[in-house]
Each structure stands twice: as C-alpha cells, then as structure tokens.
C-alpha cells in the first residue's frame, strides 16, 4: 500500500557526462516538491564526472561503480531506492522548472506510469526543435494496450520523460536482450495500472555528439539487433502479463509488425539489395493495417521509395530515417509525419 504522500526516488545515471551532470542535478534540487531523494550513480566515468557529483555533498546520495552499462547501473540504483515511484533521469538531460509539482497529483496507487513530452536541446541548452513525442492528454491505458496489440509499441518519450510506480520495475527477471531499464517496463505499465500522458514538455532532452553516436552506425547488423530487441521485449511482455494477477489482458506476439518489416527492409537496402515485390507488398500491407491518415501515407511512400530508388539514394533515405542528426529540417518533417 502506498503512503498518502508518495515518496519519489530520482535516479541519475552518469557515464562521462562531466559537462552536463551538474546542471541535471541542480534541475532536480530546484524543484518545489520536497518528498523525494536523489541517487546519482557514476558508472565508472573516466572524466571528471565523479568530482562534479561529489560537489553536491549530502544533498544527494552518490554511488560510484565500475563501468557496467546503463541497464546494470540502473538496476543497482533501483535496489538502493526507497521511493514508491521511480524516475530515471539521464545525466545529460534536464528536469523542467516546476515539473514535479505538476506531476505530483498523479502519484497515486492506481497510476503505473506518468509520461510527458521533452524539449530537444543542443549541447549548450539551446532548443533545436519541437517537443516530442506528440502526446494526447489522457488518463487511461486502453488505447495504449490496443496500440501494443496492433503495432507492438505505443508512442512514448525517452527514459527521462517517464516516471513509474515502483512495482512495474520489480520482478522483471532476465533482460539479457536489453540495453536500457525501461524497454519492457514501458510496455508493461498499461497492463498493470493507469498511464497518465501529459501533453506538455516537463523536461529537456539533450542531443549532442555522445548520444548521437548511437545513431551514426547504419548497418544491417544494427537493424537486425533492433529487431531482436523489439521482439525480445514483446515476448518478455507476454510472459510478464501472464504472470501478474493485476494484468488486464493477454499479449499475442506476431512476426509481421510494420516496424519489424521496416527494419528488415532497410537492412536489405543497406546491404545493397533491392527488396522483392513480395517483401514490399507485405510491408505496405502491414503499414496500412497498423496506421491511418498522414502517417500511413508517409510510411507507404517511404517503403515505395526504398523499393524504387537506386540503392545509393535508398541507403541515404534509410540513413536519414535512422539518424536524426543528418538533417534538422528533414528530421523535423519526419518526426511530424512518422511520430515513432
């Protein structure tokens, strides 16, 4: 049973973010909400991150470990946290002014997750685009469950745009297929409680050279790894939902999600191959089945372009789809059109 005034654990994971971690911590300390703790975990940084973290003294709980990667670092911090709700905040991101006061009314026993939009900023903190993802103000999980059943996902912000009820993270078991803490958790949340969507930016998501490097390698190996991770989450979700008495529905996992077929199509293009007619027909069919309106049109045109364009141009188009740093203008148009 949750206490009448829920306690929030804010966990900041840091690896070589000496340029940003102080601003991140200050953005939490300045909140006008008192019932929380800050746990900062330095994941074996080789720069001066640990020195920056120690400057905050006893205002935070600071832990330093050997480098183990994001998932293990976050799981270790979770074991130290006392909160009824857990917020993982990346050390290069920023919590918006007054964000916790706005979120506080939703920290209720029936709420499994609160998600909010993030404003993209550059390394200097300058806004570089519109807040994302596009969220409708909702206080229910039905549409999200329907989206998972239909598409295998629902629109959700990166890690720093989500606060979870603690039990969503507990009992997850083996996540060897995963890299981050909230991959399967975001899918599980609608099945075990109410998901609150707030249609305004309450945080800032920093885009810089270090995190853009994760987009820079456009290879078929990477595409296949994303497919494995996507499918791994869904199979894991099906097991978790079946094992949890509070879950509302079962999950049936398919192999023909449009997202999976898109990644497989781009993998062929990146390897210098032209997708076959049967492959493209199945992909377009999945897009039509799972989407409506402008998004359906945009994805169909994207698929046809991968099929019809010369390989060099198709590879470039796939690279733009994958890498949001290649063109600010195209990135914004793609984000608005695809909303993935």
């Amino acid at each position: 049973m949750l206490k009448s005034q829920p306690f929030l654990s804010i966990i900041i994971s840091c690896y070589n973010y000496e340029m940003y971690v102080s601003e991140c911590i200050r953005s939490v300390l300045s909140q006008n909400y008192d019932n929380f703790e800050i746990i900062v975990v330095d994941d074996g940084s080789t720069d001066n991150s640990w020195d920056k973290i120690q400057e905050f003294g006893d205002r935070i709980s600071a832990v330093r470990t050997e480098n183990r990667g994001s998932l293990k670092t976050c799981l270790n911090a979770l074991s130290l946290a006392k909160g009824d709700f857990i917020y993982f905040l990346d050390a290069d991101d920023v919590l918006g002014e007054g964000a916790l006061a706005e979120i506080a009314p939703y920290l209720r026993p029936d709420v499994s997750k609160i998600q909010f939009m993030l404003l993209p900023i550059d390394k200097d903190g300058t806004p570089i685009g519109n807040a994302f993802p596009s969220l409708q103000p909702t206080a229910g999980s039905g549409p999200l469950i329907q989206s998972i059943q239909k598409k295998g996902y629902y629109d959700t912000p990166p890690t720093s745009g989500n606060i979870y009820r603690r039990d969503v993270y507990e009992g997850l078991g083996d996540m060897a297929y995963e890299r981050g803490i909230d991959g399967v958790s975001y899918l599980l949340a609608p099945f075990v409680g109410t998901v609150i969507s707030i249609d305004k930016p309450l945080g800032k998501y920093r885009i810089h050279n270090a995190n853009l490097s994760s987009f820079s390698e456009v290879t078929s190996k990477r595409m296949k790894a994303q497919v494995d991770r996507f499918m791994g989450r869904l199979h894991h979700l099906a097991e978790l939902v079946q094992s949890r008495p509070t879950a509302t529905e079962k999950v049936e996992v398919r192999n023909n999600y449009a997202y999976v077929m898109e990644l497989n199509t781009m993998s062929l293009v990146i390897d210098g191959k032209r997708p076959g007619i049967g492959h493209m027909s199945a992909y377009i069919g999945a897009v039509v089945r799972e989407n409506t309106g402008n998004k359906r049109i945009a994805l169909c045109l994207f698929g046809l372009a991968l099929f019809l364009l010369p390989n060099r141009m198709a590879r470039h188009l796939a690279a733009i789809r994958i890498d949001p740093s290649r063109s600010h203008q195209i990135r914004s148009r793609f984000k608005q059109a695809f909303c993935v």
Side-chain angles (χ1 to χ4, degrees), residues 20 70 119 155 176 230 237:
Y20 311 119
S70 176
L119 180 69
D155 291 335
F230 182 85
L237 172 68

Side-chain angles (χ1 to χ4, degrees), residues 249-261:
E249 296 186 36
K250 292 185 178 181
V251 178
E252 295 184 6
V253 182
R254 310 190 317 270
N255 293 318
N256 61 344
Y257 298 103
Y259 178 73
V260 169
M261 300 188 74

Side-chain angles (χ1 to χ4, degrees), residues 1 8 13-14 27 48 64 72 81 87 123 125 146 155 157 195 221 230 237-238 246 271 299 302 319 330:
M1 181 69 67
L8 175 63
S13 59
C14 178
S27 75
N48 293 319
R64 193 180 195 188
K72 290 184 178 179
Y87 176 37
K123 63 182 181 64
Q146 292 172 14
D155 291 335
V195 174
K221 181 179 179 180
F230 182 85
L237 172 68
T246 55
D271 279 343
L299 285 171
F302 175 74
I330 295 177

